[in-house]
Amino acid sequence: MVFGQVVIGPPGSGKTTYCNGMSQFLSLIGRKVAVINLDPANDSLPYECAVNIEDLIRLCDVMMEHALGPNGGLVYCMDYLEKNIDWLQSKLEPLLKDHYLLFDFPGQVELFFLHSNAKNVIMRLIKKLNLRLTAVHLVDAHLCSDPGKYVGALLLSLSTMLHLELPHVNVLSKIDLIENYGKLAFNLEYYTDVQDLSYLQHALGQDPRSAKYRKLTKELCDVIEDYSLVNFSTLDIQDKESVAKLVKLIDKSNGYIFAGMDASAVEFSKIAVRDVDWDYYRYPSFHLFSIL
């Protein structure tokens, strides 16, 4: 049984920086990590990747050969990867014995709530290789400073959760920079817990640009609240305690904390609901550097 993360999110949300920092952190706590780059447009990687989709297909070549734009080119690349899933499977098989996997996916959001090719790739890998994966969906924390953008982020997160059908952790990334965009209308817990959105609707109603969409906004907020699925963790990738807190949550979601355990269902339930005191803080010199 192999565990890992599917790292997704809009462009600029910090996916590559996250994979770089997370791989460093996991290595320091004793896990062998393999980063798999599945973004055919990412040709400047700060980490050493075990598998690189550019060995199979490159976005620039697709755009030139088929006269496609970047969005259409990425959809083509994911279709091509799905049709050549055996290539990816053969590259992953040597890593299955003792590696924790980080999949760095493209930032085109349509791939994860509209098109089925990326989902099909993930599901086929899970089935063929017996993987236990959690989707880590990164959203730039600065979106909280704009009520309209925050509602959009909630809708994107909900749509992605429903489409991928994986254990799912939504993350407000770059939380250390959130105050650079001005004071939030509510405290941070309001945005992470996705509390009563009627307050947000009122804030949107004060903006003349969005006032005419008041009814639409109310209906969208009602959909989000009716599902009651979306909440956020926060992340400063340069802060080891912030990273450790997120790792604990991911390890619970994909079952890593239960690996190798022989216990009853009752014992598993007790472990799932309590805090796990792992010794993540024994590396005082640990420090991560974000990629500019």
Side-chain angles (χ1 to χ4, degrees):
M1 188 178 297
V2 184
F3 298 89
Q5 303 174 29
V6 173
V7 184
I8 58 177
S13 58
K15 296 181 296 300
T16 298
T17 299
Y18 173 91
C19 288
N20 186 29
M22 182 59 70
S23 64
Q24 292 180 43
F25 181 84
L26 293 174
S27 295
L28 285 171
I29 62 172
R31 300 187 198 178
K32 292 186 69 174
V33 182
V35 185
I36 296 91
N37 175 44
L38 295 182
D39 184 355
N42 194 352
D43 55 3
S44 180
L45 298 172
Y47 52 77
E48 181 179 348
C49 58
V51 182
N52 192 344
I53 192 176
E54 290 204 333
D55 295 335
L56 175 70
I57 190 169
R58 296 195 308 165
L59 178 62
C60 58
D61 295 337
V62 169
M63 291 172 61
M64 184 176 298
E65 183 177 346
H66 299 283
L68 294 171
N71 289 345
L74 281 170
V75 173
Y76 182 97
C77 289
M78 285 296 108
D79 281 335
Y80 191 82
L81 178 61
E82 183 184 358
K83 290 179 173 63
N84 292 273
I85 192 69
D86 291 341
W87 173 87
L88 181 56
Q89 182 179 344
S90 67
K91 294 287 187 179
L92 292 175
E93 283 173 348
L95 305 172
L96 300 182
K97 183 179 180 180
D98 55 0
H99 281 76
Y100 185 96
L101 307 179
L102 295 175
F103 292 90
D104 187 1
F105 271 90
Q108 188 183 6
V109 295
E110 299 97 309
L111 295 173
F112 304 102
F113 76 87
L114 182 60
H115 299 290
S116 61
N117 39 32
K119 177 184 177 180
N120 292 341
V121 167
I122 295 168
M123 292 305 173
R124 289 182 66 181
L125 291 177
I126 289 174
K127 184 176 180 180
K128 289 188 173 185
L129 303 179
N130 193 26
L131 305 184
R132 297 291 183 271
L133 302 177
T134 290
V136 180
H137 185 232
L138 302 181
V139 174
D140 196 320
H142 90 270
L143 298 180
C144 296
S145 63
D146 185 311
K149 292 178 180 178
Y150 176 69
V151 171
L154 291 175
L155 286 171
L156 174 61
S157 300
L158 177 59
S159 300
T160 304
M161 293 173 76
L162 296 175
H163 184 71
L164 287 183
E165 299 179 301
L166 287 173
H168 198 102
V169 177
N170 294 304
V171 180
L172 291 176
S173 62
K174 309 178 188 177
I175 199 66
D176 52 312
L177 303 177
I178 193 169
E179 293 183 355
N180 293 357
Y181 300 94
K183 187 176 180 180
L184 297 177
F186 308 99
N187 60 34
L188 183 60
E189 288 73 21
Y190 176 85
Y191 298 95
T192 57
D193 296 344
V194 191
Q195 298 170 2
D196 188 351
L197 295 180
S198 62
Y199 294 103
L200 205 64
Q201 295 172 41
H202 177 74
L204 277 166
Q206 306 306 307
D207 187 342
R209 295 171 299 176
S210 57
K212 63 180 179 179
Y213 302 115
R214 187 179 292 111
K215 185 176 180 181
L216 174 61
T217 301
K218 180 182 182 304
E219 295 298 328
L220 293 175
C221 290
D222 286 346
V223 169
I224 295 166
E225 291 186 322
D226 286 346
Y227 274 98
S228 192
L229 289 176
V230 183
N231 58 21
F232 292 97
S233 297
T234 59
L235 177 66
D236 173 4
I237 195 62
Q238 298 184 80
D239 178 9
K240 66 177 182 181
E241 294 188 10
S242 178
V243 179
K245 183 179 178 181
L246 182 60
V247 169
K248 291 180 182 181
L249 182 60
I250 294 169
D251 284 352
K252 279 189 175 183
S253 69
N254 63 19
Y256 183 89
I257 61 171
F258 306 115
M261 293 180 58
D262 184 14
S264 67
V266 174
E267 290 302 315
F268 280 135
S269 300
K270 290 179 180 178
I271 294 169
V273 298
R274 76 179 182 221
D275 289 333
V276 182
D277 188 19
W278 291 319
D279 190 13
Y280 284 160
Y281 306 105
R282 55 189 168 135
Y283 304 98
S285 62
F286 174 70
H287 187 70
L288 295 173
F289 297 91
S290 61
I291 308 301
L292 298 179

